[in-house]
Amino acid sequence: SKQNEAQVLQAMKVGKDALQKMHEQTSVEDVLDLMDEIKEQAEVEREISGILQGVPELSVEDEAAVEAELAALFLEDNGIVDQLPEVPQTQPLPVAPTTPLP
């Protein structure tokens, strides 16, 4: 029907106007530059992935050591290390009494 054709033509005009407005705001050169930047970032990601694939997995002991070091760095960065009491290294722990207390 003529009404449907008019609606289709109107929709096409709105679409054309939207594309025209988008093209006024973004040039072909802008799109090409963006695509080049995306390609560069993808290449960097591939390089990083390749480097990380060559890193051996950490043993349980190594992972625990890394986590302990990370925790110590976190405490140090937040100024918490200076607030912690010192743990005696040479003094033995007292022996608990074996007889009933009064």
Side-chain angles (χ1 to χ4, degrees), residues 2-51:
K2 292 216 180 249
Q3 185 178 8
N4 286 344
E5 289 177 9
Q7 288 177 339
V8 169
L9 289 175
Q10 181 60 29
M12 290 174 68
K13 182 183 180 317
V14 168
K16 179 209 56 104
D17 291 344
L19 282 172
Q20 184 176 3
K21 186 173 184 179
M22 184 180 74
H23 292 152
E24 289 171 2
Q25 295 173 353
T26 306
S27 70
V28 171
E29 189 63 34
D30 292 336
V31 173
L32 292 173
D33 289 343
L34 178 62
M35 293 304 295
D36 286 342
E37 290 173 16
I38 290 171
K39 286 178 185 176
E40 288 173 13
Q41 293 305 314
E43 180 60 32
V44 169
E45 181 61 29
R46 280 191 294 277
E47 286 181 37
I48 291 171
S49 292
I51 291 168

Side-chain angles (χ1 to χ4, degrees), residues 81-97:
V81 171
D82 295 334
Q83 299 170 4
L84 296 175
E86 289 189 30
V87 176
Q89 298 295 322
T90 57
Q91 192 175 25
L93 294 174
V95 177

